[in-house]
Every structure is written in C-alpha cells, then in structure tokens.
Amino acid sequence: MSEMKGKTLVITGATKGIGKAIAEKFAANGVDIAFTYNSNETVANELAASWEAAYGIKARAYALNILEPDEFKPLFAKIDEDFDRIDFFVSNAMIYGRPVVGGYGKFMRLKPRGLNNIYTATVNAFVMGTQEAAKRMEKVGGGAVVTMSSTGNLVYIENYAGHGTNKAAVEAMSRYAAVELGEMNIRVNAVSGGPIDTDALKAFTNYEEVKAETVRRSAIGRMGQPEDIAGAVYFLCTEEASWITGQTIVVDGGTTFK
C-alpha cells in the first residue's frame, strides 16, 4: 500500500458496476478517490462516505454528463478545490438506454445521432478527461491513464456495432496519447473487457443469450465480474507496470480465442 497511499485517482462513472469496483480497489490500497456520477447524488455521496470510513481515504463525488465534453474543464477545477494532486485517471463512464437509440442495433438500423452519442461518451470523454488530468499529473512528476475498452471490437456481438467500433477508436486514441504524453512521464493504456455482468450488460435486449454464450466460450467457464477488470486497471497504474504504455490488456476469460 505504501507506494499508492496518498495518491489520487479520478474516475468517471463509479457508482456501480466496473467503475465502482475500480474505485474500491484503489481506495482499499490507500488512494484518494475523485469520482463522477450521472444523476444519483445521494448514492454517490453514500459511496464516498463508505469508502472514507472503510479505508481511511478521502473520497468526493462530482456530477458529470459525459455527453457534454465542455463539462470536463469545470469538473477538474472543482476537483482541484478538494485534492492537491492527481496521479491516475480512468475513463470509465458509458451510456446506455435512450442516448444510444440509433447506435445500438443491427447495422442497417444504425443512425448518426446514436453513433455520435457513443463516440462522444467514449472517445471525446477520454480525450477531454485525459487532457485535463495530464496537466495535473505533469505537476507531480507523471501518472497513469487507463481507458475502458471492450472485446466487442475484436469479435462480433449482436447489436454492438456502434459500441464496438467506438471502442476500437478509443484504443487507437489511447496509443496516440501514450506516445505524446510519454515525455510527461504519463503512461496510457486500455483495458478491453469481455462481457462483464453489470447493469449495462443487463440493458442489452439479449442479455440472457449473451450471458449464456459468454460462459460457453470462456476457457474458465464463467461470466466476467467487475472485480476482474478492476484488478487489471489497478495493476496498470502501479510501478510494476512502469514500462507498459500504449497497450491494450484483454481481460475476457479466454472468450475471444475459443
């Protein structure tokens, strides 16, 4: 814990699922947490209080609409008021439901608005968040950035074209960021998860089918859990990963090669 204690993580979308598991993994290792939520302020503040009580760290929640990229600059200004450093940034928040109408579906039913929303929430959010985080990381001698991706850009998943292609785009963007931010001693990587049992996956119209197929394809015969992703993200931010940058780590239980 000594290596990480007293450092600060900024993560988007950490009130449930993968984001919550990532934030808790860092908190358990002594890292202060600045995290965003979309709408449920009460749940976010309760989580912050629970992490502070359980792990003796500072945790603060901030509202953010990732479909509004201009919100990132004032978001980080607010974080500056509460934290004196930023060491890690994880671009995790995603959208589902109404905003992805036209972006989630069969190829012939895809529409620009839904596709554009997914791009904004995936690629633009990564770029805007990383730019702001990098300015702060440079002041403390460097840091690490991780963006969340998906194996849906490697294998076919029904109705996932909009998400899958944008995950491929954010992986490419992360490689460019890794090269250009390296001079600031900032490492940038992506974690590409196979299907993980979260509310976002449950929002899929064919959730039960996807779950059954994931278990069938997995080399270890089970569905992925948020904690499986959290461990990989945490590792990429530690000194043990100090020479890993510009990479995509696939965490999929072996589902993409079977």
Side-chain angles (χ1 to χ4, degrees):
M1 181 183 292
S2 58
E3 168 205 329
M4 303 291 276
K5 187 174 177 60
K7 295 185 176 182
T8 303
L9 165 71
V10 176
I11 177 171
T12 58
T15 57
K16 56 187 175 182
I18 293 171
K20 179 182 176 183
I22 293 170
E24 185 145 16
K25 177 72 173 180
F26 278 78
N29 283 276
V31 178
D32 294 330
I33 309 295
F35 68 101
T36 73
Y37 63 92
N38 179 43
S39 59
N40 201 326
E41 181 179 9
T42 300
V43 168
N45 287 333
E46 288 174 352
L47 271 176
S50 71
W51 291 333
E52 289 186 334
Y55 306 114
I57 54 95
K58 176 191 285 188
R60 297 289 184 273
Y62 307 87
L64 174 70
N65 179 359
I66 56 170
L67 291 177
E68 297 293 341
D70 290 342
E71 290 190 12
F72 277 92
K73 189 175 290 292
L75 165 68
F76 275 81
K78 291 177 183 176
I79 293 173
D80 288 339
E81 295 175 3
D82 295 324
F83 298 86
D84 59 8
R85 62 183 295 147
I86 291 176
D87 303 272
F88 314 115
F89 173 62
V90 176
S91 185
N92 168 73
M94 65 174 293
I95 57 171
Y96 53 93
R98 185 177 295 276
V100 301
V101 172
Y104 171 74
K106 300 288 189 180
F107 175 81
M108 292 299 288
R109 293 182 177 273
L110 296 176
K111 303 293 183 184
R113 183 172 183 178
L115 290 173
N116 289 342
N117 281 346
I118 296 172
Y119 183 90
T120 297
T122 304
V123 183
N124 284 348
F126 164 73
V127 172
M128 298 298 104
T130 299
Q131 286 176 346
E132 293 300 319
K135 297 173 187 175
R136 279 81 175 171
M137 290 178 188
E138 187 175 24
K139 295 177 181 177
V140 297
V145 175
V146 179
T147 185
M148 305 311 301
S149 184
S150 163
T151 56
N153 76 81
L154 300 174
V155 297
Y156 176 81
I157 298 176
E158 188 176 4
N159 297 321
Y160 202 71
H163 290 284
T165 53
N166 279 293
K167 291 301 188 181
V170 82
E171 286 185 21
M173 188 67 80
S174 71
R175 290 190 290 271
Y176 276 87
V179 172
E180 297 185 16
L181 299 184
E183 63 184 22
M184 301 180 189
N185 195 33
I186 297 171
R187 298 181 297 103
V188 185
N189 294 288
V191 170
S192 179
I196 304 297
D197 208 8
T198 63
D199 288 345
L201 187 67
K202 290 182 173 71
F204 282 27
T205 55
N206 60 338
Y207 163 72
E208 292 296 340
E209 185 179 331
V210 170
K211 182 175 181 179
E213 183 65 9
T214 300
V215 173
R216 187 188 73 79
R217 286 177 175 268
S218 173
I220 52 178
R222 70 170 175 84
M223 191 73 177
Q225 299 299 318
E227 291 74 18
D228 295 319
I229 303 297
V233 173
Y234 180 78
F235 164 71
L236 287 172
C237 292
T238 65
E239 283 301 310
E240 281 78 4
S242 64
W243 213 45
I244 300 176
T245 194
Q247 304 301 310
T248 296
I249 307 299
V250 176
V251 182
D252 70 346
T255 57
T256 55
F257 66 81
K258 187 176 179 184

